[in-house]
Amino acid sequence: MLPLSATFRLLGLSLVVLLFVGCFSCNNKPRLKRQFVLADSLMLIRPDSALKILEGMTENDLNSEEEKIDYYLLLVEAKDKNYIKHKSDSLINYVYNAYKNREDNAMKAKVLFLKVGFIMIWKSLKTPPYTTKKQKL
């Protein structure tokens, strides 16, 4: 049997190791997921608040491909609902390419709706927002 002082040292060392591992194994996934859900729930009634939440995030916060796709989709939708002109179609194309082979038909429909809206705006402008010469769409 170990002496009492050695037991306390071993217990203290174990707690330090657990604390160290606990601190470095934490990530921001639950916080990020909550922000996505909050932005999505505010999208219809308060799109400006949804956009503020999304603009408060940085791309460094996004750890996985799934998080990037969700973020870009919500960002495009928030800008669309706030009547902010898109500078290019790169974000919606990125999201479209990610969703086009998936089984989730509801999300595919949402992405296609945003993409078609983007194309219709281009046709009405006769010039895509990021170019200076006319292109045929």
Side-chain angles (χ1 to χ4, degrees):
M1 181 164 194
L2 289 173
L4 193 56
S5 63
T7 305
F8 282 124
R9 275 191 243 139
L10 187 59
L11 183 63
L13 182 62
S14 299
L15 286 174
V16 168
V17 168
L18 281 174
L19 184 65
F20 183 77
V21 169
C23 287
F24 287 101
S25 66
C26 294
N27 60 25
N28 63 351
K29 277 191 179 195
R31 181 187 62 85
L32 200 61
K33 196 67 166 167
R34 280 194 308 268
Q35 286 180 314
F36 286 161
V37 169
L38 180 60
D40 192 36
S41 65
L42 289 171
M43 197 67 69
L44 289 176
I45 54 171
R46 298 281 216 174
D48 56 327
S49 297
L51 184 60
K52 283 284 185 201
I53 290 168
L54 295 167
E55 287 177 340
M57 297 179 198
T58 64
E59 289 198 30
N60 294 335
D61 294 335
L62 310 172
N63 298 321
S64 69
E65 197 67 24
E66 286 297 315
E67 289 173 351
K68 284 182 183 178
I69 293 166
D70 291 342
Y71 173 74
Y72 292 151
L73 176 60
L74 288 169
L75 187 62
V76 167
E77 186 178 6
K79 284 184 176 183
D80 202 45
K81 292 203 182 286
N82 282 292
Y83 304 104
I84 296 172
K85 291 180 182 175
H86 301 281
K87 294 181 179 140
S88 76
D89 62 344
S90 60
L91 291 182
I92 193 64
N93 283 336
Y94 182 83
V95 174
Y96 172 74
N97 288 330
Y99 273 102
K100 70 181 177 184
N101 295 324
R102 292 191 183 178
E103 298 295 321
D104 190 353
N105 290 331
M107 289 304 288
K108 267 194 226 182
K110 185 176 188 176
V111 171
L112 282 172
F113 178 79
L114 290 168
K115 186 165 175 67
V116 167
F118 197 82
I119 290 170
M120 296 305 289
I121 290 170
W122 277 16
K123 283 189 175 183
S124 70
L125 294 174
K126 303 284 191 241
T127 303
Y130 63 88
T131 65
T132 55
K133 53 184 176 176
K134 291 184 179 181
Q135 291 181 353
K136 188 171 184 167
L137 297 174

mmCIF file of all heavy atoms in Angstrom, residues 48-80:
data_model
loop_
_atom_site.group_PDB
_atom_site.id
_atom_site.type_symbol
_atom_site.label_atom_id
_atom_site.label_comp_id
_atom_site.label_asym_id
_atom_site.label_seq_id
_atom_site.Cartn_x
_atom_site.Cartn_y
_atom_site.Cartn_z
ATOM 1 N N ASP A 48 -31.416 40.456 -41.049
ATOM 2 C CA ASP A 48 -30.271 41.303 -40.709
ATOM 3 C C ASP A 48 -29.522 40.761 -39.494
ATOM 4 O O ASP A 48 -28.295 40.784 -39.447
ATOM 5 C CB ASP A 48 -30.711 42.747 -40.476
ATOM 6 C CG ASP A 48 -31.789 42.861 -39.407
ATOM 7 O OD1 ASP A 48 -32.619 41.943 -39.282
ATOM 8 O OD2 ASP A 48 -31.807 43.891 -38.696
ATOM 9 N N SER A 49 -30.264 40.228 -38.528
ATOM 10 C CA SER A 49 -29.628 39.629 -37.349
ATOM 11 C C SER A 49 -28.905 38.336 -37.723
ATOM 12 O O SER A 49 -27.815 38.057 -37.214
ATOM 13 C CB SER A 49 -30.674 39.326 -36.278
ATOM 14 O OG SER A 49 -31.282 40.510 -35.845
ATOM 15 N N ALA A 50 -29.511 37.565 -38.618
ATOM 16 C CA ALA A 50 -28.862 36.336 -39.087
ATOM 17 C C ALA A 50 -27.541 36.664 -39.783
ATOM 18 O O ALA A 50 -26.524 35.993 -39.565
ATOM 19 C CB ALA A 50 -29.787 35.576 -40.027
ATOM 20 N N LEU A 51 -27.559 37.708 -40.597
ATOM 21 C CA LEU A 51 -26.336 38.116 -41.296
ATOM 22 C C LEU A 51 -25.267 38.579 -40.315
ATOM 23 O O LEU A 51 -24.092 38.255 -40.471
ATOM 24 C CB LEU A 51 -26.655 39.213 -42.312
ATOM 25 C CG LEU A 51 -25.506 39.670 -43.191
ATOM 26 C CD1 LEU A 51 -24.958 38.512 -44.032
ATOM 27 C CD2 LEU A 51 -25.942 40.805 -44.094
ATOM 28 N N LYS A 52 -25.660 39.303 -39.286
ATOM 29 C CA LYS A 52 -24.691 39.756 -38.268
ATOM 30 C C LYS A 52 -24.038 38.563 -37.568
ATOM 31 O O LYS A 52 -22.837 38.567 -37.314
ATOM 32 C CB LYS A 52 -25.374 40.650 -37.232
ATOM 33 C CG LYS A 52 -25.633 42.024 -37.696
ATOM 34 C CD LYS A 52 -24.359 42.809 -37.690
ATOM 35 C CE LYS A 52 -24.665 44.250 -38.038
ATOM 36 N NZ LYS A 52 -23.496 44.941 -38.515
ATOM 37 N N ILE A 53 -24.843 37.564 -37.242
ATOM 38 C CA ILE A 53 -24.290 36.364 -36.595
ATOM 39 C C ILE A 53 -23.270 35.709 -37.506
ATOM 40 O O ILE A 53 -22.173 35.335 -37.078
ATOM 41 C CB ILE A 53 -25.418 35.382 -36.237
ATOM 42 C CG1 ILE A 53 -26.271 35.951 -35.100
ATOM 43 C CG2 ILE A 53 -24.860 34.013 -35.858
ATOM 44 C CD1 ILE A 53 -27.561 35.200 -34.866
ATOM 45 N N LEU A 54 -23.624 35.569 -38.778
ATOM 46 C CA LEU A 54 -22.732 34.898 -39.728
ATOM 47 C C LEU A 54 -21.476 35.723 -40.001
ATOM 48 O O LEU A 54 -20.390 35.167 -40.144
ATOM 49 C CB LEU A 54 -23.480 34.609 -41.026
ATOM 50 C CG LEU A 54 -24.618 33.614 -40.885
ATOM 51 C CD1 LEU A 54 -25.492 33.616 -42.129
ATOM 52 C CD2 LEU A 54 -24.093 32.225 -40.599
ATOM 53 N N GLU A 55 -21.623 37.028 -40.064
ATOM 54 C CA GLU A 55 -20.452 37.875 -40.297
ATOM 55 C C GLU A 55 -19.535 37.909 -39.079
ATOM 56 O O GLU A 55 -18.362 38.249 -39.202
ATOM 57 C CB GLU A 55 -20.890 39.294 -40.670
ATOM 58 C CG GLU A 55 -21.446 39.377 -42.074
ATOM 59 C CD GLU A 55 -21.957 40.761 -42.439
ATOM 60 O OE1 GLU A 55 -22.245 41.576 -41.522
ATOM 61 O OE2 GLU A 55 -22.070 41.021 -43.641
ATOM 62 N N GLY A 56 -20.055 37.542 -37.920
ATOM 63 C CA GLY A 56 -19.229 37.463 -36.714
ATOM 64 C C GLY A 56 -18.323 36.249 -36.695
ATOM 65 O O GLY A 56 -17.407 36.167 -35.892
ATOM 66 N N MET A 57 -18.577 35.319 -37.582
ATOM 67 C CA MET A 57 -17.730 34.122 -37.679
ATOM 68 C C MET A 57 -16.615 34.381 -38.683
ATOM 69 O O MET A 57 -16.756 35.206 -39.579
ATOM 70 C CB MET A 57 -18.545 32.929 -38.189
ATOM 71 C CG MET A 57 -19.650 32.503 -37.290
ATOM 72 S SD MET A 57 -20.506 31.110 -38.067
ATOM 73 C CE MET A 57 -22.012 31.128 -37.152
ATOM 74 N N THR A 58 -15.527 33.650 -38.521
ATOM 75 C CA THR A 58 -14.446 33.726 -39.502
ATOM 76 C C THR A 58 -14.255 32.345 -40.120
ATOM 77 O O THR A 58 -14.710 31.346 -39.569
ATOM 78 C CB THR A 58 -13.125 34.162 -38.841
ATOM 79 O OG1 THR A 58 -12.725 33.156 -37.901
ATOM 80 C CG2 THR A 58 -13.258 35.498 -38.152
ATOM 81 N N GLU A 59 -13.599 32.317 -41.238
ATOM 82 C CA GLU A 59 -13.361 31.027 -41.891
ATOM 83 C C GLU A 59 -12.428 30.145 -41.060
ATOM 84 O O GLU A 59 -12.413 28.938 -41.226
ATOM 85 C CB GLU A 59 -12.824 31.229 -43.306
ATOM 86 C CG GLU A 59 -13.900 31.763 -44.228
ATOM 87 C CD GLU A 59 -13.579 31.586 -45.682
ATOM 88 O OE1 GLU A 59 -12.871 30.619 -46.041
ATOM 89 O OE2 GLU A 59 -14.038 32.408 -46.462
ATOM 90 N N ASN A 60 -11.669 30.747 -40.165
ATOM 91 C CA ASN A 60 -10.809 29.961 -39.272
ATOM 92 C C ASN A 60 -11.629 29.171 -38.260
ATOM 93 O O ASN A 60 -11.164 28.178 -37.716
ATOM 94 C CB ASN A 60 -9.821 30.864 -38.548
ATOM 95 C CG ASN A 60 -8.831 31.501 -39.493
ATOM 96 O OD1 ASN A 60 -8.563 30.984 -40.559
ATOM 97 N ND2 ASN A 60 -8.313 32.647 -39.115
ATOM 98 N N ASP A 61 -12.877 29.643 -37.973
ATOM 99 C CA ASP A 61 -13.756 28.921 -37.054
ATOM 100 C C ASP A 61 -14.277 27.628 -37.670
ATOM 101 O O ASP A 61 -14.706 26.733 -36.957
ATOM 102 C CB ASP A 61 -14.960 29.789 -36.665
ATOM 103 C CG ASP A 61 -14.565 31.004 -35.864
ATOM 104 O OD1 ASP A 61 -13.503 30.963 -35.212
ATOM 105 O OD2 ASP A 61 -15.321 31.997 -35.884
ATOM 106 N N LEU A 62 -14.277 27.558 -38.997
ATOM 107 C CA LEU A 62 -14.850 26.412 -39.702
ATOM 108 C C LEU A 62 -13.791 25.333 -39.856
ATOM 109 O O LEU A 62 -12.815 25.510 -40.568
ATOM 110 C CB LEU A 62 -15.375 26.852 -41.071
ATOM 111 C CG LEU A 62 -16.282 28.086 -41.054
ATOM 112 C CD1 LEU A 62 -16.579 28.542 -42.461
ATOM 113 C CD2 LEU A 62 -17.548 27.802 -40.281
ATOM 114 N N ASN A 63 -14.007 24.221 -39.183
ATOM 115 C CA ASN A 63 -12.995 23.174 -39.159
ATOM 116 C C ASN A 63 -13.199 22.113 -40.232
ATOM 117 O O ASN A 63 -12.247 21.535 -40.717
ATOM 118 C CB ASN A 63 -12.970 22.498 -37.785
ATOM 119 C CG ASN A 63 -12.601 23.471 -36.693
ATOM 120 O OD1 ASN A 63 -11.750 24.328 -36.886
ATOM 121 N ND2 ASN A 63 -13.260 23.372 -35.568
ATOM 122 N N SER A 64 -14.429 21.852 -40.591
ATOM 123 C CA SER A 64 -14.687 20.761 -41.535
ATOM 124 C C SER A 64 -15.333 21.289 -42.810
ATOM 125 O O SER A 64 -15.810 22.425 -42.871
ATOM 126 C CB SER A 64 -15.609 19.715 -40.899
ATOM 127 O OG SER A 64 -16.907 20.252 -40.743
ATOM 128 N N GLU A 65 -15.355 20.459 -43.808
ATOM 129 C CA GLU A 65 -15.989 20.788 -45.083
ATOM 130 C C GLU A 65 -17.492 21.013 -44.895
ATOM 131 O O GLU A 65 -18.070 21.915 -45.506
ATOM 132 C CB GLU A 65 -15.727 19.651 -46.080
ATOM 133 C CG GLU A 65 -15.960 20.020 -47.505
ATOM 134 C CD GLU A 65 -14.971 21.050 -48.038
ATOM 135 O OE1 GLU A 65 -13.853 21.178 -47.506
ATOM 136 O OE2 GLU A 65 -15.346 21.744 -48.998
ATOM 137 N N GLU A 66 -18.108 20.212 -44.045
ATOM 138 C CA GLU A 66 -19.548 20.343 -43.771
ATOM 139 C C GLU A 66 -19.864 21.706 -43.160
ATOM 140 O O GLU A 66 -20.865 22.326 -43.506
ATOM 141 C CB GLU A 66 -20.019 19.236 -42.827
ATOM 142 C CG GLU A 66 -20.129 17.883 -43.471
ATOM 143 C CD GLU A 66 -21.161 17.836 -44.587
ATOM 144 O OE1 GLU A 66 -22.279 18.359 -44.403
ATOM 145 O OE2 GLU A 66 -20.837 17.294 -45.645
ATOM 146 N N GLU A 67 -19.025 22.160 -42.250
ATOM 147 C CA GLU A 67 -19.240 23.460 -41.629
ATOM 148 C C GLU A 67 -19.111 24.585 -42.649
ATOM 149 O O GLU A 67 -19.873 25.552 -42.620
ATOM 150 C CB GLU A 67 -18.265 23.670 -40.474
ATOM 151 C CG GLU A 67 -18.559 22.804 -39.272
ATOM 152 C CD GLU A 67 -17.503 22.900 -38.197
ATOM 153 O OE1 GLU A 67 -16.434 23.509 -38.432
ATOM 154 O OE2 GLU A 67 -17.734 22.353 -37.103
ATOM 155 N N LYS A 68 -18.146 24.465 -43.555
ATOM 156 C CA LYS A 68 -17.984 25.473 -44.603
ATOM 157 C C LYS A 68 -19.215 25.520 -45.503
ATOM 158 O O LYS A 68 -19.706 26.596 -45.848
ATOM 159 C CB LYS A 68 -16.742 25.182 -45.447
ATOM 160 C CG LYS A 68 -15.457 25.526 -44.782
ATOM 161 C CD LYS A 68 -14.293 25.248 -45.692
ATOM 162 C CE LYS A 68 -12.993 25.525 -44.962
ATOM 163 N NZ LYS A 68 -11.822 25.239 -45.780
ATOM 164 N N ILE A 69 -19.713 24.356 -45.884
ATOM 165 C CA ILE A 69 -20.886 24.291 -46.760
ATOM 166 C C ILE A 69 -22.092 24.920 -46.072
ATOM 167 O O ILE A 69 -22.806 25.732 -46.671
ATOM 168 C CB ILE A 69 -21.166 22.830 -47.174
ATOM 169 C CG1 ILE A 69 -20.046 22.314 -48.072
ATOM 170 C CG2 ILE A 69 -22.514 22.707 -47.871
ATOM 171 C CD1 ILE A 69 -20.041 20.816 -48.257
ATOM 172 N N ASP A 70 -22.334 24.567 -44.808
ATOM 173 C CA ASP A 70 -23.456 25.141 -44.061
ATOM 174 C C ASP A 70 -23.302 26.651 -43.919
ATOM 175 O O ASP A 70 -24.268 27.406 -44.093
ATOM 176 C CB ASP A 70 -23.559 24.510 -42.672
ATOM 177 C CG ASP A 70 -23.998 23.069 -42.707
ATOM 178 O OD1 ASP A 70 -24.546 22.627 -43.748
ATOM 179 O OD2 ASP A 70 -23.799 22.360 -41.701
ATOM 180 N N TYR A 71 -22.097 27.090 -43.616
ATOM 181 C CA TYR A 71 -21.833 28.519 -43.446
ATOM 182 C C TYR A 71 -22.077 29.279 -44.748
ATOM 183 O O TYR A 71 -22.757 30.317 -44.759
ATOM 184 C CB TYR A 71 -20.392 28.724 -42.971
ATOM 185 C CG TYR A 71 -19.969 30.164 -42.918
ATOM 186 C CD1 TYR A 71 -20.434 31.007 -41.921
ATOM 187 C CD2 TYR A 71 -19.105 30.686 -43.869
ATOM 188 C CE1 TYR A 71 -20.046 32.340 -41.867
ATOM 189 C CE2 TYR A 71 -18.706 32.010 -43.830
ATOM 190 C CZ TYR A 71 -19.180 32.834 -42.826
ATOM 191 O OH TYR A 71 -18.799 34.142 -42.788
ATOM 192 N N TYR A 72 -21.539 28.784 -45.859
ATOM 193 C CA TYR A 72 -21.700 29.463 -47.139
ATOM 194 C C TYR A 72 -23.163 29.507 -47.566
ATOM 195 O O TYR A 72 -23.630 30.517 -48.088
ATOM 196 C CB TYR A 72 -20.865 28.799 -48.226
ATOM 197 C CG TYR A 72 -19.371 28.948 -48.042
ATOM 198 C CD1 TYR A 72 -18.495 27.999 -48.524
ATOM 199 C CD2 TYR A 72 -18.822 30.041 -47.372
ATOM 200 C CE1 TYR A 72 -17.127 28.131 -48.361
ATOM 201 C CE2 TYR A 72 -17.461 30.176 -47.205
ATOM 202 C CZ TYR A 72 -16.618 29.214 -47.711
ATOM 203 O OH TYR A 72 -15.266 29.348 -47.554
ATOM 204 N N LEU A 73 -23.897 28.425 -47.335
ATOM 205 C CA LEU A 73 -25.309 28.405 -47.690
ATOM 206 C C LEU A 73 -26.080 29.445 -46.885
ATOM 207 O O LEU A 73 -26.870 30.226 -47.443
ATOM 208 C CB LEU A 73 -25.902 27.009 -47.462
ATOM 209 C CG LEU A 73 -27.406 26.871 -47.708
ATOM 210 C CD1 LEU A 73 -27.760 27.222 -49.142
ATOM 211 C CD2 LEU A 73 -27.860 25.463 -47.377
ATOM 212 N N LEU A 74 -25.857 29.485 -45.587
ATOM 213 C CA LEU A 74 -26.536 30.469 -44.755
ATOM 214 C C LEU A 74 -26.118 31.896 -45.111
ATOM 215 O O LEU A 74 -26.948 32.810 -45.125
ATOM 216 C CB LEU A 74 -26.255 30.195 -43.276
ATOM 217 C CG LEU A 74 -26.941 28.978 -42.685
ATOM 218 C CD1 LEU A 74 -26.380 28.665 -41.300
ATOM 219 C CD2 LEU A 74 -28.448 29.183 -42.615
ATOM 220 N N LEU A 75 -24.862 32.100 -45.444
ATOM 221 C CA LEU A 75 -24.370 33.425 -45.803
ATOM 222 C C LEU A 75 -25.004 33.916 -47.102
ATOM 223 O O LEU A 75 -25.440 35.064 -47.191
ATOM 224 C CB LEU A 75 -22.846 33.412 -45.917
ATOM 225 C CG LEU A 75 -22.162 34.749 -46.112
ATOM 226 C CD1 LEU A 75 -22.413 35.667 -44.920
ATOM 227 C CD2 LEU A 75 -20.669 34.557 -46.326
ATOM 228 N N VAL A 76 -25.081 33.043 -48.108
ATOM 229 C CA VAL A 76 -25.713 33.418 -49.376
ATOM 230 C C VAL A 76 -27.183 33.751 -49.152
ATOM 231 O O VAL A 76 -27.697 34.752 -49.656
ATOM 232 C CB VAL A 76 -25.557 32.281 -50.427
ATOM 233 C CG1 VAL A 76 -26.461 32.504 -51.615
ATOM 234 C CG2 VAL A 76 -24.113 32.174 -50.875
ATOM 235 N N GLU A 77 -27.859 32.924 -48.367
ATOM 236 C CA GLU A 77 -29.275 33.156 -48.097
ATOM 237 C C GLU A 77 -29.485 34.464 -47.322
ATOM 238 O O GLU A 77 -30.395 35.246 -47.631
ATOM 239 C CB GLU A 77 -29.851 31.987 -47.311
ATOM 240 C CG GLU A 77 -31.333 32.074 -47.109
ATOM 241 C CD GLU A 77 -31.913 30.888 -46.357
ATOM 242 O OE1 GLU A 77 -31.150 30.026 -45.875
ATOM 243 O OE2 GLU A 77 -33.146 30.843 -46.239
ATOM 244 N N ALA A 78 -28.645 34.732 -46.345
ATOM 245 C CA ALA A 78 -28.776 35.959 -45.549
ATOM 246 C C ALA A 78 -28.525 37.195 -46.401
ATOM 247 O O ALA A 78 -29.257 38.187 -46.303
ATOM 248 C CB ALA A 78 -27.818 35.923 -44.365
ATOM 249 N N LYS A 79 -27.519 37.144 -47.250
ATOM 250 C CA LYS A 79 -27.254 38.288 -48.130
ATOM 251 C C LYS A 79 -28.407 38.481 -49.110
ATOM 252 O O LYS A 79 -28.795 39.615 -49.405
ATOM 253 C CB LYS A 79 -25.936 38.088 -48.881
ATOM 254 C CG LYS A 79 -24.732 38.321 -48.015
ATOM 255 C CD LYS A 79 -23.455 38.215 -48.810
ATOM 256 C CE LYS A 79 -22.256 38.554 -47.946
ATOM 257 N NZ LYS A 79 -21.000 38.518 -48.713
ATOM 258 N N ASP A 80 -28.946 37.390 -49.609
ATOM 259 C CA ASP A 80 -30.074 37.446 -50.531
ATOM 260 C C ASP A 80 -31.283 38.092 -49.856
ATOM 261 O O ASP A 80 -31.939 38.955 -50.431
ATOM 262 C CB ASP A 80 -30.401 36.025 -50.999
ATOM 263 C CG ASP A 80 -31.158 35.990 -52.294
ATOM 264 O OD1 ASP A 80 -30.768 36.738 -53.219
ATOM 265 O OD2 ASP A 80 -32.133 35.232 -52.389
#
